[in-house]
Amino acid sequence: MTENTQTPSSPTSELPTTYAPAEVEGKLYERWVERGYFEADAKSEKPAYTIVIPPPNVTGSLHLGHAFQHTLMDALTRRKRMQGYESLWLPGMDHAGIATQNKVEQQLAEEGKSRHDLGREEFTDRVWKWKEEYGGKILGQMRRLGDGVDWSRERFTMDEGLSKAVQTIFKRLYDDELIYRAERIINWCPRCLTAISDIEVEYQDDAGELVSIRYGEGEDSLVVATTRAETMLGDTAVAVHPDDERYAHLIGKQIKLPLTDRTIPVVADTHVDPEFGTGAVKVTPAHDPNDFAIGQRHDLQSLTVMDEHGVITVHGPFLGLDRFEARSAIVGALREQGRIVAEKRPYMHSVGHCSRCKTTVEPRLSMQWWVKVGPLAQAAGDAVRAGRVKIHPEDMSKRYFDWVDNMHDWCISRQLWWGHRIPIWYGPEGQVVCVGPDEQPPTGEGWTQDADVLDTWFSSGLWPFSTLGWPERTPDLEKFYATDVLLTGHDIIFFWVARMMMFGLYAMDGVAPFHTIALTGLVRDEFGKKMSKSNPNAVDPLDWMDKYGSDAVRFTLAKGANPGADVPIGEDWVQASSKFANKIWNATRFALMNGATIEGELPPVERLSATDRWILSRLNKTVAQVDGYYEDYQFSKLSEALYHFAWDEVFDWYVELSKTTFFAGGEQAKVSGRVLGEVVDVMLRLLHPIVPFVTETLWTTLTGGESLVIADWPKDSGFRDEAAEAEIASVQSVITEVRRFRKEQGLQDGQKVPARLDLGATALGAHEAAIRQLLRLQPEGDSFSATATLPVAGGTVALDLSGTIDVAAERKRLTKDLGAAEKEKQQAEAKLGNEAFIAKAPDNVVDKIKGRLAKAEADIARLQAQLDGLPAA
């Protein structure tokens, strides 16, 4: 239980009768920021708790995926701050090389210009101006959501400090021979004119064509199938499996390559699947990654037949054709020569597209800069295997290991102008010099800097420590590194998480960048479909915030957050969360109007009613439960626990059961008012990290405290009262059973019914006034006639339904329902008594039938009791 030292609560009149999020949220957030509640102090003696935000693209805006992850990170850091930690949630943005360059190039295109018209320096200046004017829209939207980030530490991957970090680690890796330059196959975008990473390639099924082509003549011929006929101009071999007897006589021979004056060898390679297609594959080392590997093994020539725009460059009738034009022309020429054995159209197959411009990606042999990931990836795997870094949920570890244990060297160069330029200088005599951040680049005639920039993931891989001042040993780095948890989507384990692990362990002397990797799923629509701008199911979370408030959006997202699982969300659910916020508002107003207070200590146990002891016992159990769920990143479960505690136990039961006490006044009303104040105080603290705005408004009114942001997190006092919980459970059982009966009889909620309560010698008698009030049961009176008697926990409730129901019709209905229940029981017993069925049926099927039997037996007992309680016909 929390110890309250705040001043007495403010008058209830400070709270409007209805909650209006739009009038509360913006003002509250600015007050929090102005008062510096989110700023972390590196000199503090408090233990540190650190999360660095996955930096959104400078071009981006808040989408539901951001809102989802930001809600969870905000909840974690708010709770830790309340627990007494020096809590730092560090914000910032990624420069997003390709995306940002494309934005500015689109602007220039509208002016009839290209970046080449401006030149590199002027174009880069233009991008910086665009960033200042249009970039960072998402930062303002994060305020709308309520992100409790330390704005004083906001970083940008192209700012001076982070640029120094990039140059520093490049130099170190280069000197350690972990960065090198080589010609390899990369993903190439003919529109963006740059290499792109695997994550920037989106695969979709396209309707293409599969053509089978005969290479060679007579017995020295074979058939290959391809969807990219245009690349055959660059074939330098045909490969077959060494054990494939069909082609054993051809291995090592030269065969004629159609449409050219070249012959190419037939090579044996175990990469070829003899069961797939004809068992023979064309090998184009300069235009396919698998073919490149075959070419390396067999020392084949790599012939590039397309330029950077995807235009054919080899001599002949196809010179100058676009790759897709050339595809049709080549197939036509082969058809004329009778070399097309088969054609299949349409042929659906997976094709990679640039995620930025949707252009079909072209595998291309290119001279690029690479990171040798072997030793780095080994360290990243060992840190998790040794338990120094935990992955949550644990079953996601397999994905992580699948990546780091099989990682290929990483292409880090991009043919862009916006980004961190590669710090390599080339001299007139072929010299290659890598320049560190504190070194002067070589000067003199003939020296030029490499024209490429680094992959965006290179700089974002440094994020957990570069944002804290590395390579300098800053107070921030000493205090807040390693960060506590990385909370991010499982879809970027490979591209961001693994890179941060590799760089963090390398740069920080073997200290991993975070203690825990908490992986979330992806937000989907209410039917489980992926949200996409191209589909009508994409949602702007700001629209929902405008309509229902930020708390409603946050609570909906947190309530759906099961570790590693995708999160379905629909507007109906946000609307339901809005009703929950309103329920908290209205119930707290009621509590304040009925004497809820935090003044003084809680009364001793002997002065508390059973209802008081029950709710305090449930409160402490909820505190413990919520703490356990937080430590296990079970946001859905903790949200459900808070929802049911607040709505069901506090508002629907405790407040209702206590109304007779409050209305009666006196000393017991004061005791219950203090208990209610305690319960609402703790409940609002528990809810605050997820729904910060409504709870802040209510809590400051209740307690007179400065802010929930800096209030203490509740602690479980250990108080438990199982007897009181059992007693109130009996009361709830009575009320629930009679309510159900009333509903079955078609009685209105407010309709009063005379009743006799025989609650025996149990403790239920002490609750008779509350039971009567909640059930609208009048005293029995002189003319009372029991037309229905219900067995309830510890006794009976007799109701006089004269004039309210047709007894004969009710008897007929109950008899019919009883017959159906008895039939269900017989069927279930017959199945469970069938040994052959039991032997074959799965356990879950047997359990389901046992459940049906138990329900049928309970229904029979209930219906028979209701029939027995009716007067004779």
Side-chain angles (χ1 to χ4, degrees):
M1 216 66 67
T2 57
E3 181 179 346
N4 292 286
T5 57
Q6 292 90 346
T7 57
S9 60
S10 305
T12 314
S13 59
E14 289 186 13
L15 292 174
T17 54
T18 57
Y19 178 51
E23 297 177 10
V24 171
E25 293 176 348
K27 296 175 184 176
L28 265 187
Y29 188 83
E30 291 309 315
R31 187 170 73 192
W32 291 334
V33 173
E34 288 169 5
R35 294 184 179 181
Y37 292 154
F38 305 138
E39 294 180 12
D41 183 2
K43 298 178 181 178
S44 169
E45 295 183 0
K46 297 178 182 178
Y49 184 82
T50 315
I51 296 179
V52 293
I53 202 167
N57 286 354
V58 66
T59 60
S61 59
L62 190 74
H63 57 65
L64 275 174
H66 289 129
F68 170 56
Q69 293 182 358
H70 286 208
T71 293
L72 306 188
M73 286 185 277
D74 195 32
L76 290 172
T77 49
R78 283 179 182 269
R79 172 175 173 263
K80 285 295 183 179
R81 188 178 292 112
M82 295 173 74
Q83 286 183 312
Y85 286 78
E86 197 61 35
S87 189
L88 169 61
W89 187 19
L90 194 149
M93 293 184 300
D94 192 286
H95 65 279
I98 293 178
T100 309
Q101 179 158 318
N102 279 350
K103 288 281 187 183
V104 179
E105 288 197 86
Q106 288 167 12
Q107 274 191 345
L108 289 173
E110 293 171 2
E111 302 170 13
K113 300 178 182 178
S114 75
R115 59 180 162 129
H116 300 286
D117 294 324
L118 273 64
R120 183 167 195 145
E121 186 174 344
E122 188 177 344
F123 176 79
T124 304
D125 289 342
R126 178 77 176 253
V127 180
W128 276 108
K129 288 177 183 177
W130 182 92
K131 183 258 181 185
E132 295 304 320
E133 186 172 354
Y134 301 105
K137 176 182 178 183
I138 193 172
L139 298 179
Q141 296 168 338
M142 287 162 55
R143 292 173 176 260
R144 281 289 313 277
L145 188 64
D147 283 8
V149 297
D150 185 346
W151 292 110
S152 70
R153 285 180 166 82
E154 181 189 336
R155 304 305 299 268
F156 179 54
T157 50
M158 287 280 286
D159 68 28
E160 183 178 352
L162 270 64
S163 295
K164 181 177 181 180
V166 167
Q167 199 171 352
T168 299
I169 201 162
F170 187 100
K171 171 71 171 174
R172 292 187 186 180
L173 289 164
Y174 182 85
D175 290 346
D176 286 344
E177 298 183 350
L178 293 173
I179 282 182
Y180 64 94
R181 195 174 187 231
E183 196 173 39
R184 300 272 182 84
I185 292 284
I186 46 87
N187 302 308
W188 180 266
C189 176
R191 156 62 183 81
C192 299
L193 299 179
T194 181
I196 59 177
S197 67
D198 290 341
I199 197 173
E200 292 163 325
V201 178
E202 293 179 347
Y203 288 91
Q204 64 184 46
D205 286 340
D206 285 359
E209 60 181 351
L210 180 68
V211 293
S212 298
I213 309 167
R214 182 173 298 281
Y215 284 23
E217 306 294 342
E219 293 184 356
D220 290 346
S221 69
L222 39 67
V223 175
V224 299
T226 182
T227 59
R228 301 167 65 216
E230 68 280 7
T231 64
M232 69 165 291
L233 300 175
D235 286 359
T236 54
V238 172
V240 298
H241 194 277
D243 299 331
D244 194 334
E245 295 182 357
R246 293 172 296 176
Y247 304 115
H249 67 289
L250 289 177
I251 294 173
K253 287 188 176 182
Q254 295 281 327
I255 61 172
K256 182 75 176 355
L257 177 65
L259 305 182
T260 73
D261 58 1
R262 293 190 292 116
T263 60
I264 57 177
V266 177
V267 299
D269 197 283
T270 55
H271 169 76
V272 179
D273 180 0
E275 303 298 323
F276 183 77
T278 65
V281 297
K282 58 192 289 297
V283 182
T284 320
H287 293 277
D288 183 273
N290 292 321
D291 293 3
F292 179 79
I294 293 175
Q296 293 286 96
R297 289 193 288 272
H298 297 277
D299 197 25
L300 299 176
Q301 185 181 6
S302 294
L303 296 179
T304 299
V305 298
M306 275 180 265
D307 68 11
E308 60 186 7
H309 298 280
V311 173
I312 301 299
T313 58
V314 293
H315 294 293
F318 313 111
L319 178 65
L321 291 181
D322 171 80
R323 53 187 168 153
F324 301 119
E325 295 173 337
R327 181 177 300 172
S328 298
I330 288 171
V331 170
L334 290 167
R335 192 182 297 114
E336 288 180 4
Q337 293 186 5
R339 290 193 172 275
I340 299 296
V341 176
E343 297 180 67
K344 185 175 181 180
R345 295 189 187 88
Y347 179 71
M348 301 302 296
H349 63 128
S350 182
V351 178
H353 296 260
C354 175
S355 63
R356 303 300 175 188
C357 68
K358 310 309 176 187
T359 300
T360 299
V361 169
E362 192 67 40
R364 174 179 168 83
L365 185 63
S366 180
M367 184 67 75
Q368 302 285 345
W369 284 95
W370 303 81
V371 171
K372 186 185 296 183
V373 300
L376 303 174
Q378 176 73 41
D382 290 347
V384 175
R385 288 190 173 92
R388 303 199 309 275
V389 177
K390 297 186 182 302
I391 293 180
H392 186 87
E394 190 175 352
D395 58 12
M396 285 284 179
S397 298
K398 184 179 183 303
R399 291 193 187 191
Y400 177 81
F401 291 129
D402 284 346
W403 178 250
V404 297
D405 292 346
N406 301 284
M407 195 182 295
H408 300 295
D409 284 1
W410 169 21
C411 176
I412 57 172
S413 46
R414 298 291 180 267
Q415 290 64 55
L416 303 172
W417 287 357
W418 172 246
H420 296 100
R421 196 163 175 182
I422 290 177
I424 293 288
W425 269 256
Y426 305 106
E429 305 299 325
Q431 306 98 314
V432 179
V433 176
C434 181
V435 178
D438 300 319
E439 300 171 351
Q440 290 296 319
T443 57
E445 187 175 348
W447 283 94
T448 58
Q449 185 176 359
D450 194 296
D452 290 350
V453 300
L454 289 164
D455 178 11
T456 297
W457 297 100
F458 190 94
S459 52
S460 60
L462 315 180
W463 191 252
F465 52 94
S466 63
T467 52
L468 296 171
W470 188 90
E472 308 301 328
R473 300 300 298 192
T474 64
D476 277 0
L477 195 65
E478 295 288 346
K479 178 72 175 179
F480 298 112
Y481 189 89
T483 68
D484 286 85
V485 60
L486 170 72
L487 191 145
T488 191
H490 61 64
D491 56 324
I492 58 172
I493 293 176
F494 324 118
F495 307 105
W496 190 46
V497 178
R499 283 158 169 68
M500 286 190 290
M501 284 287 287
M502 291 191 302
F503 281 168
L505 289 161
Y506 174 79
M508 297 301 295
D509 301 320
V511 179
F514 15 75
H515 304 306
T516 301
I517 301 169
L519 298 169
T520 70
L522 308 179
V523 178
R524 298 185 178 273
D525 71 12
E526 57 192 306
F527 305 107
K529 294 181 179 179
K530 182 179 179 181
M531 288 191 174
S532 169
K533 291 181 180 178
S534 60
N535 293 330
N537 65 350
V539 173
D540 185 345
L542 295 170
D543 292 340
W544 281 351
M545 288 184 215
D546 290 339
K547 195 170 182 179
Y548 302 109
S550 297
D551 282 336
V553 174
R554 289 170 62 111
F555 192 75
T556 305
L557 291 165
K559 204 174 179 185
N562 288 300
D566 288 346
V567 183
I569 183 172
E571 186 169 0
D572 289 349
W573 305 342
V574 182
Q575 188 175 18
S577 295
S578 175
K579 290 179 180 177
F580 178 52
N582 288 327
K583 181 77 169 180
I584 298 170
W585 184 272
N586 294 331
T588 303
R589 286 189 79 254
F590 172 85
L592 288 167
M593 288 189 292
N594 286 275
T597 180
I598 61 160
E599 291 185 68
E601 296 295 321
L602 277 172
V605 173
E606 57 270 18
R607 293 180 58 195
L608 302 178
S609 67
T611 308
D612 294 335
R613 288 183 278 113
W614 163 73
I615 196 62
L616 291 175
S617 182
R618 291 296 309 133
L619 176 67
N620 279 281
K621 285 184 177 180
T622 301
V623 171
Q625 190 178 34
V626 168
D627 277 336
Y629 287 145
Y630 261 115
E631 296 306 315
D632 200 33
Y633 303 99
Q634 298 278 0
F635 294 97
S636 178
K637 290 183 178 180
L638 73 88
S639 299
E640 287 284 354
L642 288 169
Y643 177 89
H644 290 297
F645 176 73
W647 193 306
D648 299 342
E649 296 184 301
V650 179
F651 303 145
D652 278 359
W653 284 112
Y654 180 73
V655 168
E656 294 299 321
L657 289 172
S658 300
K659 278 184 177 178
T660 52
T661 301
F662 290 133
F663 294 162
E667 190 59 32
Q668 191 56 48
K670 292 181 180 179
V671 170
S672 293
R674 178 63 187 88
V675 171
L676 181 55
E678 180 76 11
V679 171
V680 173
D681 171 23
V682 174
M683 178 195 71
L684 293 174
R685 293 173 194 251
L686 291 173
L687 283 165
H688 177 72
I690 296 175
V691 285
F693 295 108
V694 66
T695 52
E696 173 85 342
T697 307
L698 294 171
W699 186 84
T700 52
T701 302
L702 169 71
T703 68
E706 182 182 342
S707 174
L708 259 178
V709 179
I710 55 173
D712 291 337
W713 181 254
K715 293 181 180 178
D716 174 14
S717 71
F719 177 79
R720 303 287 190 274
D721 194 322
E722 301 300 338
E725 291 197 41
E727 182 175 329
I728 299 303
S730 296
V731 174
Q732 291 171 326
S733 175
V734 171
I735 294 171
T736 300
E737 182 64 22
V738 177
R739 277 178 174 166
R740 189 180 60 77
F741 179 78
R742 287 178 59 112
K743 185 176 182 180
E744 288 175 348
Q745 307 309 312
L747 298 177
Q748 298 298 316
D749 290 342
Q751 189 173 351
K752 294 182 178 180
V753 178
R756 177 191 300 131
L757 273 63
D758 181 6
L759 302 177
T762 67
L764 284 172
H767 302 278
E768 181 169 341
I771 292 172
R772 284 185 175 276
Q773 180 179 339
L774 291 176
L775 292 173
R776 305 295 190 270
L777 302 180
Q778 294 178 315
E780 51 194 280
D782 295 336
S783 60
F784 178 81
S785 175
T787 59
T789 302
L790 302 178
V792 295
T796 59
V797 175
L799 305 172
D800 183 353
L801 302 178
S802 303
T804 62
I805 65 168
D806 183 333
V807 174
E810 179 62 16
R811 181 176 292 279
K812 183 178 180 181
R813 184 186 71 80
L814 290 172
T815 301
K816 180 181 178 182
D817 290 348
L818 181 60
E822 288 173 338
K823 184 178 180 181
E824 174 73 6
K825 178 187 175 185
Q826 291 170 1
Q827 291 176 342
E829 286 177 334
K831 285 190 175 182
L832 294 173
N834 185 334
E835 293 182 2
F837 171 79
I838 294 297
K840 295 180 180 179
D843 290 344
N844 65 317
V845 173
V846 175
D847 290 342
K848 186 176 181 180
I849 295 171
K850 288 180 179 178
R852 284 170 49 193
L853 175 61
K855 182 178 184 302
E857 290 174 338
D859 288 343
I860 290 169
R862 173 177 59 80
L863 293 165
Q864 188 61 60
Q866 291 181 24
L867 275 168
D868 294 343
L870 290 174

